[in-house]
Amino acid sequence: LVFPDEVVAEAKAIPQELAPEDYKDRADLREQCVVTIDGKDAHDFDDAVSGTKLGEGYEITVSIADVTHYVKPTHPLDDEARNRSTSIYVADRVVPMLPFELSNGICSLNPNVDRLVLSVVMDLDPMGNVFHSEIKQGVIRSHGRLNYDEVNDFFAGKDVPELSKEIKDTLTLLHEASIAVRKRRERQGAMRLDSTELKFQLDENGDQTSVTKVVQGPSEKMIEDLMILANVEVAKQLKNAGDP
């Protein structure tokens, strides 16, 4: 839970707002209806989605916080992140790979603030095939911090007054695109990764009070489909570039 002093010092020295030079040579995606969708008890918000209609198909953008802008090779932050390898999520807390100044601060895609991202922009046909993609360094401004429950309610036809019309239209389009993507993946023999996830409720003393089974709804499936889609496109670009 404790970071070395030199890592903490480097993290605290990072500004918590963007400077004018941070925008240089970046795609301005701030007008797009970008949203984050996570569990109600999520600790950080590092990926976001947006989409528009493209003829009969779709343009889908998956963005992730551009940590590389702040974490430089051979610096203490990078050395410590390599040692930790990943953030670890346990029942009531997260043991982060990066200090909170990054993971919950300037690299958290909070709504209504500018954030630096790496975005995979993908053009899809109506059958869910990607016929063009590119990776951009961009700037976004999240239009909403959503949770799976409220998005599932919206998909079920319930009234969710917290969602603006712009966000509802975006969610409807993303859902439509993700259904096409999932059908295409299943036709191509994609593995079904249906596993049972358990959630433990703890009291103030850290003692377990109950266990519930996590049920994957349409919003969870949608985000899974879009994230896999983006990962595949990144893998293709790495392969084409000759990277191992």
Side-chain angles (χ1 to χ4, degrees):
L1 291 173
V2 179
F3 284 89
D5 290 343
E6 65 271 19
V7 175
V8 173
E10 186 179 6
K12 288 185 178 299
I14 295 173
Q16 289 300 302
E17 293 183 0
L18 298 190
E21 59 267 23
D22 293 332
Y23 295 82
K24 187 179 178 184
D25 299 326
R26 286 183 176 267
D28 189 345
L29 309 175
R30 288 175 291 177
E31 293 303 315
Q32 291 188 8
C33 182
V34 176
V35 294
T36 60
I37 308 175
D38 298 274
K40 276 185 176 178
D41 55 355
H43 297 277
D44 46 39
F45 310 96
D46 54 10
D47 50 61
V49 289
S50 61
T52 57
K53 200 77 175 137
L54 184 68
E56 294 297 312
Y58 315 90
E59 182 185 86
I60 304 297
T61 302
V62 174
S63 299
I64 190 162
D66 188 1
V67 178
T68 63
H69 186 80
Y70 304 99
V71 180
K72 301 302 182 185
T74 73
H75 283 226
L77 273 172
D78 187 54
D79 291 341
E80 181 66 15
R82 285 172 179 270
N83 287 334
R84 291 177 177 238
S85 301
T86 184
S87 297
I88 302 168
Y89 297 87
V90 289
D92 62 341
R93 73 195 67 187
V94 58
V95 183
M97 184 177 73
L98 298 166
F100 285 108
E101 286 81 3
L102 286 168
S103 60
N104 286 50
I106 194 63
C107 291
S108 188
L109 306 181
N110 301 320
N112 305 316
V113 290
D114 292 356
R115 289 290 186 260
L116 303 182
V117 292
L118 293 173
S119 298
V120 186
V121 184
M122 300 166 285
D123 296 339
L124 279 64
D125 67 17
M127 302 297 287
N129 299 294
V130 179
F131 60 87
H132 178 261
S133 69
E134 60 180 311
I135 300 173
K136 296 181 177 181
Q137 291 180 310
V139 183
I140 66 165
R141 177 175 284 228
S142 171
H143 288 207
R145 174 181 153 186
L146 314 183
N147 65 66
Y148 290 126
D149 290 347
E150 62 186 349
V151 177
N152 284 334
D153 284 346
F154 170 66
F155 288 155
K158 298 178 182 178
D159 182 39
V160 186
E162 296 84 3
L163 303 180
S164 67
K165 182 182 183 304
E166 178 190 45
I167 288 176
K168 288 177 179 178
D169 290 346
T170 297
L171 291 175
T172 300
L173 184 140
L174 291 171
H175 191 213
E176 189 179 293
S178 73
I179 290 172
V181 168
R182 181 162 287 234
K183 285 180 178 177
R184 188 259 304 160
R185 287 179 53 231
E186 289 177 347
R187 283 196 305 271
Q188 294 175 339
M191 292 176 64
R192 287 180 172 272
L193 302 176
D194 296 331
S195 60
T196 301
E197 182 182 346
L198 300 177
K199 183 167 182 58
F200 295 82
Q201 282 77 34
L202 308 182
D203 62 19
E204 62 274 9
N205 298 318
D207 295 322
Q208 173 197 322
T209 57
S210 64
V211 183
T212 54
K213 186 186 293 187
V214 178
V215 178
Q216 194 181 45
S219 67
E220 289 93 340
K221 290 180 180 178
M222 178 182 79
I223 292 300
E224 179 182 283
D225 290 333
L226 298 181
M227 293 301 157
I228 290 174
L229 198 69
N231 275 292
V232 169
E233 293 309 306
V234 170
K236 286 179 186 175
Q237 295 219 16
L238 289 171
K239 183 180 180 182
N240 292 338
D243 287 321

